[in-house]
Amino acid sequence: DSGVTQTPKHLITATGQRVTLRCSPRSGDLSVYWYQQSLDQGLQFLIQYYNGEERAKGNILERFSAQQFPDLHSELNLSSLELGDSALYFCASSVAGGTASYNEQFFGPGTRLTVL
Amino acid sequence: LAKTTQPISMDSYEGQEVNITCSHNNIATNDYITWYQQFPSQGPRFIIQGYKTKVTNEVASLFIPADRKSSTLSLPRVSLSDTAVYYCLVGVFSGGYQKVTFGTGTKLQVIP
């Protein structure tokens, strides 16, 4: 157990709909990262938040947005869903620090999104 | 971001030592090299991280030559439970800003 929690575990929805995925980081971790992993694909980095602020952006579609709240939990919002958005969505967290050894990312169990 | 290249897949027998090499020709001065392991339908798990020379922990060793343009993850005496995808990452870790890219990884199949 990494200490990172994600809800829901599974989500089935239809095209055109909007969903929200939730992530609670490990206690004390200030950074939250979102990744998308499609079937048999590697992990695609979407976005990173640090202490409530956006820090880095990857291949995140304009239909997707995220935020990190004052209690440090994060939500990933996916709208106008398409079949191709079906994937595993992982959240990870890390401790902010000046040395690399403190920036290990701890991954949650993921949310499996199925768009029908 | 430094691009990484790894073999797509590897097979090994139980009890063998496995070495997975990752190329990262355009690694930057501040970049660290990190390896993660991922089992199906699970999130990746950190294995080892290094900057140069050799790093060893309880599960693996990481060899980094002086030019840092490649790195080799070494798994001693693999077992069936080591069957997983292994990702090599190169990126910057400093002050809360972390920008790394996971490549397609190496799918390791351990054979009995």
Side-chain angles (χ1 to χ4, degrees):
Chain A
D1 184 357
S2 66
V4 178
T5 60
Q6 290 187 248
T7 56
K9 281 189 177 179
H10 302 277
L11 195 50
I12 301 174
T13 188
T15 55
Q17 295 296 306
R18 172 190 169 95
V19 297
T20 298
L21 312 183
R22 182 187 169 103
C23 168
S24 292
R26 292 188 324 152
S27 176
D29 285 0
L30 299 179
S31 278
V32 169
Y33 314 77
W34 287 98
Y35 291 86
Q36 179 193 56
Q37 187 170 40
S38 303
L39 190 64
D40 292 331
Q41 297 290 312
L43 282 149
Q44 298 292 319
F45 168 68
L46 296 178
I47 197 163
Q48 176 200 358
Y49 279 83
Y50 170 67
N51 204 20
E53 294 186 3
E54 182 184 306
R55 273 297 177 100
K57 223 167 187 177
N59 301 320
I60 188 166
L61 300 173
E62 285 192 10
R63 301 184 285 109
F64 296 0
S65 64
Q67 53 184 330
Q68 186 179 28
F69 296 86
D71 67 353
L72 301 178
H73 91 271
S74 177
E75 292 181 356
L76 178 68
N77 300 298
L78 314 176
S79 61
S80 302
L81 285 168
E82 302 174 359
L83 296 178
D85 297 328
S86 294
L88 260 173
Y89 290 85
F90 289 106
C91 165
S93 72
S94 71
V95 174
T99 59
S101 61
Y102 292 110
N103 283 288
E104 171 185 344
Q105 291 188 35
F106 294 85
F107 281 78
T111 293
R112 183 174 292 281
L113 173 67
T114 302
V115 181
L116 301 176
Chain B
L1 281 177
K3 186 175 177 181
T4 60
T5 304
Q6 306 174 232
I8 293 175
S9 65
M10 293 179 71
D11 291 339
S12 176
Y13 288 102
E14 266 192 300
Q16 299 285 316
E17 178 185 75
V18 170
N19 296 309
I20 306 174
T21 298
C22 179
S23 297
H24 28 80
N25 290 321
N26 58 339
I27 187 170
T29 303
N30 294 332
D31 286 347
Y32 279 75
I33 301 157
T34 311
W35 286 79
Y36 280 80
Q37 174 193 56
Q38 185 181 26
F39 298 112
S41 298
Q42 292 186 27
R45 187 182 67 163
F46 173 91
I47 300 175
I48 199 166
Q49 184 179 77
Y51 183 79
K52 61 179 178 181
T53 62
K54 178 184 173 183
V55 180
T56 298
N57 61 23
E58 62 277 7
V59 298
S61 295
L62 179 59
F63 298 92
I64 306 169
D67 66 5
R68 304 203 323 126
K69 293 185 183 300
S70 67
S71 58
T72 299
L73 173 73
S74 181
L75 305 172
R77 297 179 301 282
V78 295
S79 64
L80 295 177
S81 63
D82 293 317
T83 294
V85 178
Y86 292 82
Y87 294 97
C88 163
L89 284 69
V90 173
V92 178
F93 304 83
S94 92
Y97 174 73
Q98 184 167 329
K99 193 166 184 178
V100 296
T101 301
F102 282 76
T104 52
T106 298
K107 186 175 282 190
L108 173 66
Q109 180 69 51
V110 179
I111 306 164

